[in-house]
Amino acid sequence: MVKLEEVTEGHEDFSDGEPSDNDSNYSTDDSDSEDLEESILERILALRDIIPEDTRESISNKISTIMSFGVSSARLLGNGAWILTTSALLIFMPLAYEIEREHAFDQAYSQMENEQLNPYGQPGQAGQPGQPGQPIPPGQHQPRGTLIPPGF
């Protein structure tokens, strides 16, 4: 039979200085650290005994379904992104190239027109013969360095 004693605060009984058998029933710091060393995986595996088999199968099936849906969605999204990217490259890159080429051609043409209007870097006078839009009088030659395209 077990004898119970009430212990009051501040009352410590160290009669012989050696631990008694009752001291072994209490957990020490070493046994607490052993409990703390239990990994999360071991704790999850211990839940296997607590959760019934049909509930575990149901949870497993739901997680499996969600994962397969996620993989399928990611694959579909990746394929769609690939199709959009390659289509955009095939359609818009040549278009951008042609726009840039036309812009460069326009710049070169406008620079050439400016050189024709003013071949010597001097400001021209309005109404001067030989300028675009002004006829060259008979007997005069077109100044060298200016080129007037046909039809002007």
Side-chain angles (χ1 to χ4, degrees):
M1 184 160 184
V2 178
K3 180 181 176 187
L4 296 175
E5 294 182 17
E6 185 176 335
V7 179
T8 60
E9 286 186 36
H11 174 31
E12 297 178 9
D13 187 17
F14 295 110
S15 57
D16 57 354
E18 293 183 20
S20 65
D21 291 337
N22 292 338
D23 292 339
S24 65
N25 292 337
Y26 299 110
S27 63
T28 62
D29 289 338
D30 294 335
S31 65
D32 287 340
S33 65
E34 289 174 9
D35 291 339
L36 294 176
E37 291 175 7
E38 182 180 29
S39 70
I40 293 179
L41 179 64
E42 291 172 347
R43 289 180 183 224
I44 291 174
L45 291 176
L47 289 175
R48 188 180 344 175
D49 300 331
I50 297 171
I51 300 173
E53 179 72 24
D54 57 342
T55 307
R56 282 186 288 164
E57 286 180 12
S58 173
I59 292 171
S60 174
N61 290 338
K62 288 179 183 176
I63 290 174
S64 175
T65 303
I66 290 171
M67 289 296 292
S68 66
F69 178 73
V71 168
S72 299
S73 298
R75 184 173 292 131
L76 181 65
L77 186 64
N79 288 342
W82 173 259
I83 290 169
L84 288 176
T85 303
T86 54
S87 297
L89 286 174
L90 290 174
I91 292 171
F92 294 116
M93 287 303 292
L95 178 66
Y97 177 73
E98 286 299 320
I99 290 172
E100 180 64 29
R101 189 170 144 198
E102 184 177 338
H103 181 67
F105 180 76
D106 287 343
Q107 281 184 339
Y109 185 73
S110 66
Q111 183 180 8
M112 186 174 65
E113 279 183 342
N114 288 340
E115 288 176 2
Q116 286 178 357
L117 291 176
N118 194 358
Y120 302 109
Q122 300 170 354
Q125 299 173 356
Q128 183 179 8
Q131 293 294 327
Q134 297 294 326
I136 299 176
Q140 284 190 345
H141 297 287
Q142 182 176 351
R144 290 188 171 222
T146 60
L147 179 66
I148 298 178
F152 285 97

